[in-house]
Amino acid sequence: MSTISDWAHALMSPSPFALVIAVILALTIPIFLHSVVFKASGLTQLPSILLIGPSGSGKTSLLTLFERGTNPAQTHTSQSPISVECHLPVGTTANSDKYRSVNDPTNLIHKKFLLVDTPGHGKLRHHALDNLTNPQNLKGIIFLVDAATLSAGDEGLRSTADYLHDVLLMLQKRMESKNKAVKKLKEIPVLIAANKMDLFTALPAALVKSSLETEISKVRASRSKGLLYSGIGMEDDSEEKDDWLGEVGSKDFKFSQMEEFDVLVEVSGGNVSGGDGPVVEKWWKWIAGRL
């Protein structure tokens, strides 16, 4: 009986040493969970939007516009990737916050994200492809094009379609990648942002879409013939199918064919600069839908 009483007395009257241990544990456990567990899970990593496109389309100007929130800065051709922290403008609600009450104080906190600009020059496009093969919390891709250089027969249309073909094909083949981060990209939204709509020679968004689809069809057919002439696929057509963008065997390429591979492509017009100022509201809305 005395033993039970002694144990009860010890529990009700802990020693100073035990109290010190308890206080230390109470302080260190939350710090450990925050610094190790939460960081390891990636909860503190900002979502990112990848900005790619041919040289001269206005990518760096768009980057500075989104960073500043007012007017773009004077820029020059970028030679290396640039990452900046941006936030949605006032009045634009992120998709993850659309069900919050208007009186929720967290609505006052602008949704932040990283915008990653990549060089558009042909010899430097590996930077963009590297970001696709090693994504960091990637939420979407903006492919910026110059809508004034996409008329039929323009070299700008051919080079733009060629680059876009490579990007979409890489996204299509992502499930074959050994990189776990790439395989986790289940649904990848792609915005083809048609820039310089303020210019007289710029094509409207609908024509930008159809022109790129037509030119990508030509790129796809040309590359398929190249494989055939090289002798690849004469006995086994598996490699030809792997390098065929969109629906296998289709004559005409359509962006809607990419939905089979969970790549959702949209085309939207705007302009980074102009006499009446930037017109990028549709692009902001698209970004908000990804966050």
Side-chain angles (χ1 to χ4, degrees):
M1 188 70 178
S2 59
T3 303
I4 297 176
S5 300
D6 292 340
W7 276 104
H9 184 268
L11 291 173
M12 298 301 294
S13 304
S15 66
F17 177 75
L19 287 175
V20 171
I21 296 298
V23 171
I24 293 175
L25 289 175
L27 293 175
T28 56
I29 288 177
I31 295 175
F32 172 79
L33 290 175
H34 177 75
S35 62
V36 178
V37 178
F38 291 155
K39 284 187 177 180
S41 64
L43 294 177
T44 59
Q45 189 178 41
L46 288 176
S48 66
I49 300 293
L50 183 61
L51 180 58
I52 59 181
S55 182
S57 58
K59 297 186 300 301
T60 307
S61 294
L62 180 61
L63 179 88
T64 59
L65 173 63
F66 280 1
E67 182 185 22
R68 295 181 172 193
T70 52
N71 292 308
Q74 293 294 326
T75 63
H76 54 82
T77 303
S78 57
Q79 302 293 322
S80 59
I82 305 172
S83 298
V84 299
E85 184 178 297
C86 304
H87 59 77
L88 295 178
V90 176
T92 304
T93 305
N95 185 58
S96 57
D97 293 336
K98 65 181 181 180
Y99 296 113
R100 294 183 185 274
S101 168
V102 293
N103 300 316
D104 191 331
T106 57
N107 287 328
L108 299 176
I109 304 175
H110 301 316
K111 192 73 173 182
K112 296 181 178 181
F113 64 97
L114 285 178
L115 185 61
V116 183
D117 176 29
T118 58
H121 191 277
K123 294 182 178 179
L124 299 173
R125 289 176 183 175
H126 63 274
H127 291 295
L129 302 181
D130 288 344
N131 277 276
L132 290 175
T133 54
N134 297 284
Q136 301 296 321
N137 201 13
L138 184 63
K139 297 300 181 181
I141 298 170
I142 297 178
F143 191 94
L144 194 67
V145 302
D146 183 349
T149 64
L150 300 180
S151 297
D154 285 353
E155 177 59 30
L157 175 60
R158 174 69 183 189
S159 61
T160 299
D162 196 69
Y163 188 12
L164 182 56
H165 174 279
D166 290 345
V167 171
L168 293 178
L169 184 61
M170 179 170 286
L171 295 177
Q172 177 178 308
K173 298 169 65 175
R174 69 190 184 279
M175 295 310 297
E176 302 171 9
S177 173
K178 296 180 180 179
N179 189 322
K180 293 182 180 180
V182 176
K183 288 186 176 182
K184 287 182 179 179
L185 295 175
K186 295 183 179 179
E187 185 178 277
I188 305 180
V190 177
L191 173 66
I192 299 176
N195 190 23
K196 305 184 182 182
M197 284 293 182
D198 56 310
L199 300 181
F200 178 76
T201 54
L203 297 180
L207 281 180
V208 168
K209 178 176 180 290
S210 60
S211 295
L212 286 174
E213 287 177 332
T214 300
E215 196 65 27
I216 289 176
S217 298
K218 296 178 182 178
V219 173
R220 188 175 65 173
S222 175
R223 296 195 181 186
S224 177
K225 289 180 181 178
L227 288 174
L228 182 62
Y229 292 154
S230 66
I232 298 176
M234 294 182 65
E235 297 181 358
D236 183 4
D237 63 351
S238 59
E239 184 166 347
E240 183 179 355
K241 290 181 179 179
D242 290 341
D243 290 329
W244 182 272
L245 181 66
E247 182 182 346
V248 177
S250 59
K251 179 181 178 181
D252 299 320
F253 171 79
K254 301 294 181 183
F255 288 124
S256 58
Q257 296 174 8
M258 298 305 300
E259 295 177 7
E260 178 183 351
F261 308 98
D262 292 328
V263 179
L264 310 179
V265 183
E266 299 179 37
V267 182
S268 179
N271 52 275
V272 176
S273 59
D276 297 327
V279 179
V280 293
E281 291 79 10
K282 292 181 180 179
W283 301 347
W284 272 126
K285 185 178 180 181
W286 182 88
I287 292 175
R290 315 279 83 78
L291 303 179

